Amino acid sequence: MREFVFALEYEPGCNRVADALADHPDARIRSLSLHATDDRLWRVDHATGTSAALEDIEGAFLNGDYYADCLATDDCGATQTTRVLDRTDDTLVLYSTWERTPTCASVPHIARDHLGDGVLFETRHEGRHYTWRIVHSGVGDPAAFFDALEAAVGDCARMEMLRAATTEADAPTGDGTGGASGLAPEQEAALRAAVEHGYYESPREVDVGDLADHLDVPRSTLTYRLRRAEERLAKGYVADERFADAPSTPL
């Protein structure tokens, strides 16, 4: 089995969901279920945030010119429906279905074209970053998949590879990221720069805006990379601690 994790960073005005999330930095959307056939896609998403954020997210799904997952730059004539399954003050659960046309494109459909059937998808949306985790059998042509994806997103989004690895069952050692830290190169570079420039000192010697200017990346991109790096390192630390505290099994 193979795993790919990558992010699409949408330009303003290219994706209504990304625009809504950019207006509410603390809001998040993650997929609970996502499936695709050759001509259909259906998914359940769980959004968290303030009441105002959820209202904007709901509006982006319900009132968009075309389905939010479609990579076409104009209305491609697809039939889509989104329903609210649950709503509280700080959570929103949405069920969406989408029947594509020949001019439509999406990450799952491009993956099916180049990686075959039996592909699993997991997504997380925060700000303008739309992170995809894809697990597939290892057959197909990953290079052709990413070439087709890059062509489909065009100038609307920038693609950033975060991880490419075999799954644990197939990998004898390491996590396939190519770095000792287990971080994507962009995340490791961001973390090193943050440490070197005093971002983690107390009080901070540099703020995220100045650090982003130094690295010549958008502020939102740097914030995203640092958050993902911190998340991965924190989870790795806790996992190591649990392993160390686990009782040994006598031989």
Side-chain angles (χ1 to χ4, degrees):
M1 302 291 287
R2 294 286 297 174
E3 176 190 40
F4 299 117
V5 182
F6 61 92
L8 300 176
E9 182 182 0
Y10 280 98
E11 296 293 331
C14 286
N15 184 289
R16 286 198 59 179
V17 175
D19 290 341
L21 288 167
D23 290 337
H24 303 279
D26 293 330
R28 302 285 186 272
I29 305 174
R30 61 183 176 89
S31 57
L32 299 179
S33 181
L34 199 168
H35 305 276
T37 62
D38 286 340
D39 57 0
R40 295 183 67 87
L41 183 150
W42 59 99
R43 59 184 298 161
V44 177
D45 291 291
H46 180 272
T48 58
T50 64
S51 179
L54 297 181
E55 184 176 347
D56 287 350
I57 291 169
E58 181 179 343
F61 273 92
L62 296 179
N63 303 318
D65 295 332
Y66 58 99
Y67 184 52
D69 258 350
C70 185
L71 298 175
T73 56
D74 297 304
D75 186 357
C76 62
T79 301
Q80 72 93 11
T81 302
T82 296
R83 297 183 178 88
V84 176
L85 296 183
D86 189 30
R87 176 74 185 264
T88 66
D89 289 341
D90 57 2
T91 63
L92 175 68
V93 181
L94 299 168
Y95 170 74
S96 300
T97 61
W98 175 41
E99 186 173 353
R100 66 186 298 210
T101 67
T103 56
C104 295
S106 72
V107 172
H109 289 116
I110 295 173
R112 284 178 56 85
D113 290 342
H114 296 283
L115 304 177
D117 295 331
V119 185
L120 302 178
F121 304 97
E122 180 182 58
T123 66
R124 179 167 47 192
H125 222 155
E126 51 187 295
R128 300 199 180 281
H129 289 82
Y130 195 5
T131 303
W132 287 81
R133 178 175 180 257
I134 295 179
V135 178
H136 71 106
S137 64
V139 301
D141 189 342
F145 162 70
F146 284 108
D147 286 345
L149 179 58
E150 188 172 11
V153 299
D155 295 331
C156 276
R158 185 176 63 86
M159 186 168 61
E160 179 176 337
M161 177 62 73
L162 302 177
R163 186 165 68 253
T166 55
T167 58
E168 291 184 2
D170 296 328
T173 58
D175 65 359
T177 61
S181 65
L183 302 176
E186 296 86 353
Q187 294 174 358
E188 185 168 354
L191 196 63
R192 287 183 181 277
V195 172
E196 291 169 0
H197 289 81
Y199 177 75
Y200 291 108
E201 297 298 325
S202 182
R204 284 179 173 165
E205 297 174 4
V206 65
D207 64 25
V208 69
D210 290 337
L211 187 59
D213 290 340
H214 174 76
L215 295 174
D216 194 25
V217 298
R219 179 191 179 108
S220 62
T221 297
L222 178 61
T223 301
Y224 172 81
R225 291 175 180 175
L226 289 175
R227 186 182 298 126
R228 293 282 72 79
E230 293 162 0
E231 177 187 11
R232 186 167 182 83
L233 293 177
K235 288 181 177 178
Y237 175 81
V238 171
D240 289 344
E241 287 291 297
R242 288 173 177 171
F243 179 79
D245 292 342
S248 59
T249 303
L251 299 176

